[in-house]
């Protein structure tokens, strides 16, 4: 969808036009559901709930979008924040596994990573403990800094770094076992 038609659609949505809201939902839902799913692992029902909650938030805060930057990027932040609020509400991050005994190997085999398909990678991410998956998604996929992650999750910056390192170890171990 081109920028002008997005702008017109957003203006109609701000006025409460239900047809425009449905069009925006149809445009964004297929793009935002995978975002929600990445934070929920294999729990599709939770991802669907977050998607719906995200749209409620998006429509209620649509007037705050100033047109600076990409609307889709702004919307993505709404859905990420909605997912994070749900994880905090469930206190899911306190249940992260400790992988003290695992060591991050210095020699990675790019050929193994290259052989993993998208579905296999998504399955591996879904298996990750919630804390690892959340920080991994925020840092690697969404591009948040450790400082931003710490602020959004209410954790220490060092905890964010630790969770990311543990997520990498987790993935490395799972990839090795696929050989």
């Amino acid at each position: 969808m081109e920028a002008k038609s997005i702008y017109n659609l957003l203006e109609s949505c701000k006025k409460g036009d239900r047809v425009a809201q449905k069009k925006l939902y149809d445009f964004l839902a297929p793009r935002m559901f995978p975002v929600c799913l990445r934070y929920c692992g294999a729990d599709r029902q939770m991802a669907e709930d977050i998607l719906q909650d995200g749209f409620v938030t998006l429509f209620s805060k649509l007037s705050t979008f100033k047109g600076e930057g990409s609307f889709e990027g702004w919307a993505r932040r709404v859905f990420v924040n909605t997912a994070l609020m749900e994880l905090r509400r469930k206190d899911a991050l306190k249940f992260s596994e400790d992988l003290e005994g695992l060591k991050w190997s210095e020699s990675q085999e790019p050929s193994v990573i290259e052989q993993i398909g998208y579905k296999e990678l998504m399955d591996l991410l879904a298996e990750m403990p919630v804390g690892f998956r959340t920080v991994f998604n925020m840092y690697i996929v969404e591009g948040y800094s450790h400082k931003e992650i710490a602020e959004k999750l209410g954790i220490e910056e060092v905890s964010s770094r630790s969770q990311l390192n543990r997520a990498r170890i987790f993935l490395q171990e799972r990839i090795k076992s696929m050989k």
Side-chain angles (χ1 to χ4, degrees):
M1 193 176 288
E2 66 182 55
K4 185 177 180 180
S5 56
I6 286 278
Y7 175 77
N8 291 336
L9 188 59
L10 294 177
E11 289 305 309
S12 295
C13 288
K14 287 177 186 178
K15 295 174 184 170
D17 181 339
R18 296 285 184 195
V19 173
Q21 289 174 343
K22 172 75 168 103
K23 284 181 185 176
L24 186 60
Y25 178 90
D26 291 342
F27 173 72
L28 282 178
R31 291 167 168 76
M32 297 303 137
F33 184 70
V35 172
C36 299
L37 196 56
R38 275 199 321 268
Y39 285 90
C40 300
D43 191 343
R44 294 186 68 81
Q45 182 59 50
M46 183 178 175
E48 289 171 5
D49 291 345
I50 290 171
L51 182 71
Q52 295 308 313
D53 291 346
F55 272 106
V56 169
T57 302
L58 182 128
F59 287 124
S60 69
K61 295 187 181 249
L62 200 53
S63 62
T64 65
F65 177 66
K66 304 296 182 204
E68 299 166 0
S70 153
F71 171 72
E72 196 168 330
W74 180 85
R76 177 182 298 272
R77 292 259 185 203
V78 168
F79 287 92
V80 167
N81 286 335
T82 303
L84 295 176
M85 284 175 28
E86 180 64 14
L87 291 173
R88 269 195 305 265
R89 187 183 71 73
K90 290 186 173 188
D91 209 10
L93 298 176
K94 76 176 183 180
F95 298 113
S96 296
E97 294 177 17
D98 188 10
L99 300 178
E100 286 300 320
L102 298 178
K103 301 288 182 216
W104 180 253
S105 171
E106 294 299 319
S107 65
Q108 274 187 314
E109 297 179 33
S111 61
V112 174
I113 293 171
E114 291 171 358
Q115 292 173 8
I116 295 176
Y118 176 79
K119 179 166 180 358
E120 293 166 314
L121 181 58
M122 290 299 105
D123 289 345
L124 287 174
L125 290 176
E127 291 175 15
M128 257 188 209
V130 176
F132 299 179
R133 182 175 57 241
T134 302
V135 172
F136 183 87
N137 279 319
M138 292 181 75
Y139 187 84
I140 300 294
V141 180
E142 304 296 339
Y144 286 95
S145 70
H146 286 293
K147 181 179 180 182
E148 292 169 317
I149 293 169
E151 289 170 2
K152 287 194 172 288
L153 298 181
I155 61 175
E156 296 294 322
E157 200 171 324
V158 70
S159 296
S160 175
R161 291 180 194 285
S162 174
Q163 291 288 327
L164 179 61
N165 188 45
R166 290 174 178 166
R168 288 176 171 158
I169 292 167
F170 180 93
L171 284 175
Q172 184 181 38
E173 292 298 315
R174 293 304 192 277
I175 291 169
K176 282 180 184 178
S177 70
M178 293 173 73
K179 289 183 181 181

